[in-house]
Amino acid sequence: MWWITLRVKENKLPEVIDIIQKRFFLSTIYKIAKEDVNNYIIEFGTSSTLEEILRIFREANLYYYLIAIERGA
């Protein structure tokens, strides 16, 4: 399981959530929290391999939002 943290602008939130739900294998959104006036923090877990995660990030242009990728249990 991989845990991923993203920082997303409010206007991109629906688009990024849709990508998470449709593209990542067995994804579970753990938390969506408002960070400040314009930004939200999304934390989610996925069973996708690291290679798949990196490919999806590249194809969906998500690297801009990435804060962390951590290996979990």
Side-chain angles (χ1 to χ4, degrees):
M1 180 69 109
W2 293 92
W3 291 99
I4 301 170
T5 306
L6 307 173
R7 178 181 291 117
V8 180
K9 297 271 186 215
E10 185 173 16
N11 63 335
K12 291 290 187 177
L13 196 58
E15 176 185 340
V16 172
I17 290 172
D18 189 53
I19 291 168
I20 291 168
Q21 292 174 333
K22 290 181 178 176
R23 304 276 311 266
F24 290 95
F25 184 69
L26 295 176
S27 63
T28 303
I29 296 176
Y30 171 71
K31 180 169 74 170
I32 300 174
K34 191 163 188 155
E35 182 184 44
D36 57 34
V37 175
N38 297 317
N39 294 311
Y40 284 80
I41 299 296
I42 302 173
E43 294 180 11
F44 71 98
T46 180
S47 293
S48 297
T49 65
L50 182 58
E51 291 78 17
E52 291 170 328
I53 292 168
L54 297 176
R55 180 182 50 78
I56 293 167
F57 267 74
R58 184 182 67 249
E59 290 173 357
N61 296 316
L62 294 177
Y63 280 113
Y64 177 78
Y65 308 113
L66 182 63
I67 295 175
I69 301 176
E70 299 177 31
R71 182 75 177 169

